[in-house]
Amino acid sequence: MAGQNQGVGQVEAQRAHFATPLALRSGGVIPEYDLVYETYGQLNAAKSNAILVCHALSGHHHVAGHYADQPDNVGWWDNIVGPGRPLDTDRFFIVGVNNLGGCHGSTGPSSINPATGKPWGADFPMVAVIDWVKAQARLADQLGIDAWAAVMGGSLGGMQALRWSITFPERVRHAIIVAAAPKLSAQNIAFNDVARQAILTDPDFHGGHYYEHNTRPVRGLRLARMLGHITYLSDDQMGEKFGRELRNGAFSFGFDVEFEIESYLRYQGDKFAGYFDANTYLLMTKALDYFDPAREDNGDLTATLARSRAGFLVISFSTDWRFTPARSKEIVHALLARGRDVSYAEIDLNFGHDSFLMADPHYHAVVGSYLARITL
Amino acid sequence: MAGQNQGVGQVEAQRAHFATPLALRSGGVIPEYDLVYETYGQLNAAKSNAILVCHALSGHHHVAGHYADQPDNVGWWDNIVGPGRPLDTDRFFIVGVNNLGGCHGSTGPSSINPATGKPWGADFPMVAVIDWVKAQARLADQLGIDAWAAVMGGSLGGMQALRWSITFPERVRHAIIVAAAPKLSAQNIAFNDVARQAILTDPDFHGGHYYEHNTRPVRGLRLARMLGHITYLSDDQMGEKFGRELRNGAFSFGFDVEFEIESYLRYQGDKFAGYFDANTYLLMTKALDYFDPAREDNGDLTATLARSRAGFLVISFSTDWRFTPARSKEIVHALLARGRDVSYAEIDLNFGHDSFLMADPHYHAVVGSYLARITL
């Protein structure tokens, strides 16, 4: 059995099928779909102790633990989930789900389109955050969960938590929104568009139907990930970790790796391009761009959030320049303007946007103590 | 004749040939080379009134004025050069030069390699800032200029001014260093490497010998420029100028231009990719990465700058996140530590790194009044 410091241990992914078509924000329809998910801990008899953990751009359902046949494949947020950890599996039932459009088992562009018998590819409809939330709500129905004790996520995952609180106010008792923003800035969109253009203009993209050409736009995907990594880290942390350290001690005056930072970025780019699906990457970045729930209220976030009934915990990180603390405060201020119950913490951590994934004791204490106060 | 508000008017580029080989920092040698340059104003009898303006990443020798046959092709820093302007052509003789390795007329990768009769392409040796300064010094020799009244530049151009003051202390009376840094940070290098990888992995790059394939790596160059533009502008300015404005008023849920910022970036990328040489772009970004004059003194910038004899004007911009004011202050502090004559101004301007190109009255007054105090 897993002890205090051992996490959730061995886990297994599950699969849910949904035969009812899902109408999407984009006007498209998914006729039927699968969602893969994992759960940790036990759902109590009242079904009141469930926490949904939403993933970010490149995440998936494997939040914690490891698989029997892949002991080193540890979940992406393992450090926060487990017995005695902030998302305490002795008390809560945790659900992680791969979003619609993903490439880790849920229906997405690399799945077979039942209408053609071939992979969806570029024909997979554009999905928005609200679509994910609706798909997740159907999963909650299947699991018998009327209301989540909490919906939680970092970055794009935090946007899903925010959207849950607006679209299904009666089904979210608490929303924990980490390192997120109520909408992207022009600069955020700009970075996304460069990443997308890298993929879309890769000759191996074939208009999104690369599966049929037995190739993948690895060059574009690699560039997109390299660029992404720059925005995930802080300038300071990059400086401390890599500085101007040279790979071979002296300048080589060529285009191979010269500085350690180049080695790091290219490695991260190659690794990601080796397994992630480019069409999914495109869809996820577009979902980020479109996210702007206040748009439904002519930009008045206060009015939008007035529809929520949840308690809120909003967390930002001092060195996050992708979604700065000021962006989190936009959410906090809009909630306060309507007298909503909101706690806010700005955590001083040096890891930029990626701070939300780190096992910082202060950060984890904020999450843990908030969740410990939730009555079930 | 040009009046107070009319700039330098019609100008003509000139060409200088250098038959003596130039040994480069990279170990390579350029057997012979041309530099194209322009001059504005009159060199005085004592040849004591010359100012060298050094260009940045994508700049060139056409600093001010326009050509007889291209009235709309106005120099990139025209707003600061002319009668009554900060670089006052009634008093100073201004020289702009396209650097070695460039693609605007000076010898570079697209020039013919005399050894092969074909374009240099990837065989053009890596050039460093110190090489440019040495090449510029030979141009000064040809023009009979023993010492510059000032060497001035923004960004990579400011680095050349700094390098001049260290390598030829007796030939630089004043150095004006705008929006620069004593060396790149890991984040700066990271952005450069993504841009380079975009070009190097473009199938049309052909190992740098694309001239012979009658093609150009326009996809990679376009991505590099799009990315560059994000780092040239401030987040705030992008927000004010573009925000989340939609091109067509509503979401189209596709990969064509959706937000105005995407339109702007793609336009800038396309325009640049249409005329700039990819090999030159690679060389210029590498020159940026390598620039680190204090490396010769084990990282002690104070010791390095102790070799200079110039008066210094250092200028930074509040919203420049490529080279923040803190980076300029590194130069200022190192100069002050040795009791050097240095003036420093941080200008509050909203245009990010590109602020150095703007005709801001306060900024221009700082430059103009500094230059007005120079005795000739």
Side-chain angles (χ1 to χ4, degrees):
Chain A
M1 294 291 99
Q4 286 293 106
N5 295 307
Q6 291 177 299
V8 299
Q10 192 174 307
V11 300
E12 255 180 81
Q14 301 173 68
R15 176 175 296 271
H17 183 71
F18 301 88
T20 311
L22 184 70
L24 304 174
R25 171 74 179 83
S26 61
V29 175
I30 299 282
E32 56 176 329
Y33 58 96
D34 285 1
L35 292 180
V36 293
Y37 66 100
E38 291 181 11
T39 69
Y40 323 108
Q42 299 297 322
L43 188 61
N44 64 11
K47 299 188 172 179
S48 64
N49 70 333
I51 297 177
L52 175 65
V53 175
C54 304
H55 70 75
L57 191 60
S58 59
H60 42 67
H61 55 289
H62 185 36
V63 176
H66 62 267
Y67 300 130
D69 58 344
Q70 297 172 48
D72 296 332
N73 183 357
V74 175
W76 57 270
W77 217 351
D78 185 81
N79 63 34
I80 209 168
V81 176
R85 293 186 183 172
L87 277 70
D88 190 342
T89 47
D90 286 339
R91 185 159 184 251
F92 292 105
F93 175 69
I94 316 292
V95 178
V97 57
N98 185 214
N99 280 328
L100 206 55
C103 57
H104 286 89
S106 293
T107 299
S110 54
S111 308
I112 298 300
N113 178 351
T116 64
K118 292 193 289 188
W120 280 93
D123 297 331
F124 197 88
M126 206 71 88
V127 284
V129 171
I130 195 168
D131 303 320
W132 290 336
V133 166
K134 287 178 178 172
Q136 290 158 0
R138 289 188 180 176
L139 177 64
D141 295 341
Q142 275 204 12
L143 297 172
I145 298 163
D146 286 337
W148 299 100
V151 179
M152 175 172 184
S155 193
L156 180 53
M159 293 171 173
Q160 293 164 60
L162 189 64
R163 174 45 86 181
W164 258 101
S165 76
I166 299 162
T167 301
F168 297 110
E170 72 290 354
R171 301 190 73 170
V172 184
R173 295 176 52 220
H174 295 273
I176 303 180
I177 297 161
V178 188
K183 63 186 175 191
L184 294 205
S185 70
Q187 190 189 67
N188 293 148
I189 295 171
F191 278 120
N192 279 347
D193 199 49
V194 177
R196 282 192 296 264
Q197 289 296 310
I199 293 169
L200 293 166
T201 63
D202 185 326
D204 288 332
F205 182 65
H206 295 289
H209 293 290
Y210 44 89
Y211 316 100
E212 299 164 39
H213 292 79
N214 287 315
T215 185
R216 299 169 63 246
V218 289
R219 285 175 296 239
L221 196 54
R222 174 177 179 266
L223 290 170
R225 186 60 165 186
M226 289 177 73
L227 179 53
H229 263 278
I230 300 178
T231 70
Y232 304 153
L233 306 181
S234 73
D235 186 18
D236 274 1
Q237 181 206 3
M238 261 198 188
E240 282 172 24
K241 195 168 171 183
F242 304 106
R244 296 177 53 84
E245 285 303 308
L246 296 171
R247 184 65 174 281
N248 301 312
F251 292 147
S252 55
F253 295 107
F255 294 110
D256 289 340
V257 165
E258 190 100 68
F259 295 93
E260 286 293 352
I261 180 66
E262 297 173 311
S263 171
Y264 171 81
L265 282 185
R266 295 184 198 180
Y267 171 79
Q268 294 292 342
D270 287 334
K271 191 172 76 166
F272 188 73
Y275 73 84
F276 206 85
D277 181 63
N279 281 317
T280 289
Y281 199 84
L282 294 173
L283 290 181
M284 298 280 162
T285 62
K286 287 298 276 187
L288 272 166
D289 287 8
Y290 291 132
F291 183 72
D292 181 9
R295 196 176 154 81
E296 296 151 21
D297 298 287
N298 297 312
D300 182 356
L301 186 63
T302 304
T304 307
L305 290 182
R307 296 206 284 282
S308 70
R309 292 290 170 267
F312 285 84
L313 172 61
V314 178
I315 297 175
S316 69
F317 298 94
S318 53
T319 58
D320 184 352
W321 64 278
R322 187 175 172 90
F323 300 137
T324 63
R327 308 307 313 278
S328 283
K329 285 179 198 163
E330 291 175 31
I331 299 169
V332 173
H333 292 155
L335 288 166
L336 288 176
R338 293 294 178 110
R340 287 288 175 278
D341 178 9
V342 54
S343 300
Y344 172 64
E346 181 179 326
I347 309 287
D348 200 14
L349 252 184
N350 202 24
F351 301 96
H353 188 58
D354 269 356
S355 294
F356 87 87
L357 296 167
M358 301 299 160
D360 175 67
H362 177 49
Y363 164 39
H364 275 196
V366 168
V367 175
S369 63
Y370 184 92
L371 286 174
R373 289 195 305 271
I374 292 181
T375 54
L376 302 181
Chain B
M1 294 292 96
Q4 286 293 105
N5 293 310
Q6 292 178 299
V8 299
Q10 192 173 309
V11 300
E12 254 181 81
Q14 300 173 68
R15 175 175 297 272
H17 183 72
F18 301 87
T20 312
L22 184 71
L24 305 173
R25 171 73 179 83
S26 61
V29 175
I30 299 283
E32 56 176 330
Y33 59 95
D34 285 1
L35 292 180
V36 293
Y37 66 100
E38 291 180 10
T39 70
Y40 324 109
Q42 299 297 322
L43 188 60
N44 64 9
K47 300 188 173 178
S48 65
N49 70 333
I51 296 177
L52 175 66
V53 175
C54 304
H55 70 75
L57 192 60
S58 59
H60 42 68
H61 55 288
H62 185 37
V63 177
H66 62 268
Y67 301 129
D69 57 346
Q70 298 173 46
D72 296 330
N73 183 357
V74 175
W76 57 270
W77 216 351
D78 184 82
N79 63 34
I80 209 167
V81 177
R85 294 186 183 171
L87 277 69
D88 190 343
T89 47
D90 286 340
R91 187 161 183 250
F92 292 105
F93 175 69
I94 316 291
V95 179
V97 57
N98 185 215
N99 280 327
L100 204 57
C103 57
H104 286 89
S106 292
T107 299
S110 54
S111 308
I112 298 298
N113 178 351
T116 65
K118 293 194 289 188
W120 280 93
D123 297 331
F124 197 86
M126 206 71 89
V127 284
V129 171
I130 195 168
D131 303 321
W132 290 335
V133 166
K134 287 178 178 173
Q136 290 158 0
R138 289 188 180 177
L139 177 63
D141 294 341
Q142 276 204 11
L143 296 172
I145 298 162
D146 286 337
W148 300 100
V151 179
M152 174 172 184
S155 193
L156 180 54
M159 292 171 174
Q160 292 164 62
L162 189 63
R163 173 47 84 181
W164 259 100
S165 77
I166 298 161
T167 302
F168 297 110
E170 73 290 353
R171 302 191 73 171
V172 184
R173 293 176 52 221
H174 295 273
I176 304 180
I177 298 161
V178 188
K183 62 185 176 192
L184 295 204
S185 69
Q187 191 189 67
N188 294 148
I189 296 171
F191 278 120
N192 279 348
D193 199 48
V194 176
R196 282 192 296 264
Q197 289 296 311
I199 293 168
L200 293 166
T201 64
D202 185 326
D204 287 332
F205 182 65
H206 295 289
H209 293 290
Y210 44 87
Y211 317 99
E212 299 164 40
H213 291 81
N214 288 316
T215 186
R216 300 170 62 249
V218 289
R219 286 175 296 239
L221 197 53
R222 174 176 179 267
L223 291 170
R225 185 61 163 186
M226 290 178 71
L227 179 53
H229 263 277
I230 301 179
T231 70
Y232 303 153
L233 305 181
S234 73
D235 187 17
D236 275 0
Q237 181 207 3
M238 261 196 187
E240 282 172 24
K241 193 168 172 183
F242 304 106
R244 296 177 54 84
E245 284 305 306
L246 296 171
R247 183 64 173 281
N248 300 314
F251 291 146
S252 56
F253 297 106
F255 294 110
D256 289 340
V257 165
E258 190 100 68
F259 295 93
E260 286 293 351
I261 180 65
E262 296 173 311
S263 172
Y264 171 81
L265 282 185
R266 296 183 198 181
Y267 171 79
Q268 294 293 340
D270 286 335
K271 192 173 75 165
F272 188 74
Y275 73 85
F276 206 83
D277 181 62
N279 281 318
T280 289
Y281 199 83
L282 294 173
L283 290 180
M284 297 281 162
T285 62
K286 287 297 277 187
L288 272 166
D289 287 7
Y290 291 132
F291 183 72
D292 182 8
R295 195 176 156 81
E296 296 151 21
D297 298 287
N298 298 311
D300 182 357
L301 187 63
T302 305
T304 307
L305 290 182
R307 296 206 283 283
S308 70
R309 292 290 171 267
F312 285 84
L313 172 61
V314 179
I315 297 175
S316 68
F317 298 95
S318 53
T319 58
D320 184 353
W321 64 277
R322 187 176 172 90
F323 299 136
T324 63
R327 308 305 313 279
S328 283
K329 285 179 197 164
E330 291 175 32
I331 299 170
V332 172
H333 292 153
L335 287 166
L336 289 176
R338 293 294 179 112
R340 286 289 175 277
D341 179 8
V342 54
S343 299
Y344 172 65
E346 182 179 325
I347 310 286
D348 200 14
L349 253 183
N350 202 25
F351 300 97
H353 188 59
D354 269 356
S355 295
F356 87 88
L357 295 167
M358 302 299 159
D360 175 67
H362 177 50
Y363 163 39
H364 275 196
V366 168
V367 174
S369 63
Y370 184 91
L371 286 173
R373 289 196 304 271
I374 292 181
T375 53
L376 301 181

